[in-house]
Amino acid sequence: MTALSDAQRPHGSGVEPLRAKCGWIVALGVVYLLAGLIALSSVALATVASVFVVGIMMVIAGVAEVINAFQLKSWGKFLLWILLGLLYIVAGFVTFENPLLTAALLTLMLGAALVVSGVMRIILAFSMKEGMPWMWVALSGVITILLGGVILAHWPVSSLYILGIFLGIDLVFAGVGWIFVGLGLKSRA
């Protein structure tokens, strides 16, 4: 018997529901792309918007921590979770009060994290076994160190635009990706 079941076919039933929505996927990609272009046209505003998103996430995480504290049985852990939750909530509201200071701190942490990440990639590259593509990992590490170094060299001025640029670039690439996914699904229909 040579007939394949739907589950064994490469384009089985998992893709069919997506194919039916390919127009919506393309539309989502267009929205992402437009949002990314808007963010890149006003990177300072996009930076502030990304800081507000971080603040909202911190408040939500803090509320979740406080709620979780009431699920604990011991006072020591209860107080620790309450304090941690309140710290998140306060930090979230501080981001709303002074988004530019928050952007400066986030940009400083981003630059430092990129430098550390680049160093770790280079260490990883030189510890790879022979025959592995270690050179690409090392190159990635060097580029990451350079990117972090540029951010840190221009800090705190870079904090006005770096987060907005990264947000805009991410939205543009996500939008293009979704557009190609939707068009690819449509062409296979």
Side-chain angles (χ1 to χ4, degrees):
M1 189 171 226
T2 61
L4 294 173
S5 69
D6 282 341
Q8 294 173 326
R9 289 186 188 147
H11 301 291
S13 62
V15 176
E16 291 306 320
L18 290 176
R19 250 189 222 134
K21 304 291 185 195
C22 66
W24 286 105
I25 293 172
V26 170
L28 174 68
V30 169
V31 169
Y32 270 69
L33 181 62
L34 290 175
L37 293 174
I38 291 169
L40 289 173
S41 71
S42 179
V43 291
L45 184 61
T47 295
V48 172
S50 64
V51 166
F52 279 129
V53 169
V54 169
I56 290 168
M57 290 187 308
M58 291 178 81
V59 169
I60 291 170
V63 169
E65 295 275 351
V66 169
I67 290 171
N68 189 48
F70 289 101
Q71 307 300 319
L72 300 173
K73 303 293 182 206
S74 72
W75 276 102
K77 289 182 181 178
F78 171 80
L79 289 176
L80 183 64
W81 282 80
I82 286 282
L83 289 174
L84 185 61
L86 292 175
L87 179 65
Y88 266 92
I89 292 169
V90 168
F93 282 115
V94 167
T95 63
F96 302 142
E97 289 294 319
N98 198 341
L100 294 179
L101 175 63
T102 304
L105 292 173
L106 288 173
T107 303
L108 180 63
M109 290 187 325
L110 175 65
L114 287 172
V115 169
V116 170
S117 174
V119 169
M120 298 305 290
R121 286 182 193 172
I122 291 172
I123 291 170
L124 173 67
F126 286 115
S127 68
M128 293 175 85
K129 296 183 181 192
E130 193 173 320
M132 299 280 292
W134 66 272
M135 191 67 169
W136 291 107
V137 177
L139 179 64
S140 168
V142 169
I143 291 170
T144 303
I145 288 173
L146 290 174
L147 182 60
V150 167
I151 290 170
L152 293 175
H154 295 288
W155 186 85
V157 175
S158 63
S159 63
L160 295 174
Y161 57 85
I162 287 296
L163 299 176
I165 289 174
F166 282 17
L167 175 65
I169 290 171
D170 179 59
L171 288 171
V172 165
F173 276 94
V176 169
W178 283 121
I179 289 169
F180 280 115
V181 166
L183 294 175
L185 288 170
K186 185 176 183 178
S187 69
R188 293 183 184 206

